[in-house]
Amino acid sequence: MARIEIKNLSKTFDTKNTEVHAVKNASLTVEHGEVVVIIGPSGSGKSTLLRSVNRLEIPTSGEIWVDGEEVTKDSVDIRLIREEVGMVFQNFNLFPHLTSLQNITLAPLKVKKLSASEAEKLGKSLLARVGLSDKAEVHPTQLSGGQQQRVAIARALAMQPKAMLFDEPTSALDPEMIKEVLDVMLDLAHSGMTMLLVTHEMGFARAAADKVVFMDAGEIVEVGTPEQIFENPQNPRTKSFLDHIL
């Protein structure tokens, strides 16, 4: 049983009485412990596909399954799905009035019903994991963008998810801060976490991905290993895109 399975997914938006097909009949499988990176030009449907997995976008048609449960059916408790599938966004979405540690422990306290001491122990261990042990009592406004994103990753991990979604997690960062976030993500990938992510960081895709997915105009055009996609793409659209950015 796959960790995440996307079957014939489509998503359309009505814009000024015109239907925009953001995702067209996309199918993709993410196995347990697999790192799958989605690449492609802006507007190709990457983020819409990703956000559909935990129902931040409601698909027009098709199915998404997580651990054998269909998350696209109306009766599903999406809160439980979001507990099991963590998400990290472009913007950090941290609560500015809470410290780093409080941002991380809020959901385990409220949702998982951990005791204060259990939540604090978990939060501090996650801050250590992302290299921010000394920032537990610091508020987000006192952190760099890269540090804020690492806290956001720790916050998502605090729910002990089975899989992690990343939607262009470095796109809002200054260049010198990107590496510190990618290093945390690379460590996470090597630890066996199932990851599905959208990124423009081709170096990360080469280093961490088990599978690279190229999307264009809402369609999954090509899927392969990093070596296959970057060194010998089979589809002319994939080759044209990579020729422009590499």
Side-chain angles (χ1 to χ4, degrees):
M1 181 194 306
R3 180 68 86 192
I4 299 169
E5 191 167 6
I6 300 169
K7 301 179 180 180
N8 305 315
L9 191 80
S10 292
K11 174 66 177 180
T12 58
F13 295 98
D14 287 323
T15 306
K16 297 179 180 177
N17 298 319
T18 301
E19 270 196 344
V20 176
H21 294 268
V23 179
K24 303 175 186 176
N25 200 36
S27 295
L28 180 65
T29 299
V30 184
E31 302 291 350
H32 290 249
E34 195 171 38
V35 177
V36 178
V37 175
I38 306 173
I39 64 172
S42 297
S44 60
K46 308 183 300 294
S47 291
T48 301
L49 180 70
L50 187 79
R51 291 165 61 87
S52 297
V53 174
N54 65 354
R55 292 280 294 274
L56 289 174
E57 295 285 359
I58 307 300
T60 304
S61 61
E63 300 173 358
I64 299 175
W65 296 71
V66 176
D67 278 349
E69 181 177 5
E70 186 187 349
V71 303
T72 38
K73 62 184 179 183
D74 292 337
S75 60
V76 74
D77 187 344
I78 198 58
R79 292 174 302 170
L80 296 178
I81 300 302
R82 289 174 182 163
E83 285 181 33
E84 296 189 347
V85 182
M87 185 152 189
V88 177
F89 300 88
Q90 297 178 34
N91 297 312
F92 324 119
N93 296 333
L94 298 173
F95 293 110
H97 64 290
L98 300 180
T99 65
S100 298
L101 184 61
Q102 289 169 334
N103 266 284
I104 294 167
T105 58
L106 183 63
L109 285 167
K110 300 291 186 183
V111 180
K112 294 280 191 182
K113 305 300 182 184
L114 266 60
S115 68
S117 60
E118 289 172 328
E120 183 176 345
K121 182 179 179 181
L122 173 64
K124 287 183 174 179
S125 71
L126 289 170
L127 280 170
R129 183 172 184 177
V130 300
L132 293 173
S133 292
D134 59 335
K135 303 297 183 183
E137 303 305 321
V138 174
H139 287 77
T141 54
Q142 299 169 284
L143 299 172
S144 70
Q147 290 170 334
Q148 289 185 63
Q149 191 62 293
R150 284 188 278 160
V151 172
I153 292 171
R155 179 182 58 182
L157 291 173
M159 293 301 288
Q160 299 174 312
K162 295 178 178 178
M164 289 280 286
L165 310 176
F166 293 85
D167 187 7
E168 299 190 28
T170 60
S171 65
L173 300 178
D174 292 333
E176 65 269 20
M177 297 175 186
I178 290 173
K179 184 179 184 299
E180 65 191 55
V181 174
L182 293 179
D183 284 346
V184 169
M185 292 171 61
L186 193 59
D187 177 70
L188 196 58
H190 290 160
S191 75
M193 174 62 75
T194 304
M195 296 168 63
L196 178 61
L197 61 140
V198 172
T199 186
H200 294 292
E201 301 295 334
M202 299 301 149
F204 177 84
R206 285 179 181 270
D210 297 297
K211 194 157 62 186
V212 176
V213 178
F214 173 67
M215 288 188 71
D216 189 25
E219 299 178 326
I220 292 179
V221 175
E222 190 168 353
V223 180
T225 65
E227 292 77 17
Q228 290 168 338
I229 296 297
F230 290 115
E231 296 173 18
N232 189 29
Q234 299 300 299
N235 192 289
R237 288 156 74 186
T238 313
K239 187 176 188 307
S240 175
F241 171 75
L242 293 173
D243 284 346
H244 279 90
I245 65 167
L246 295 180

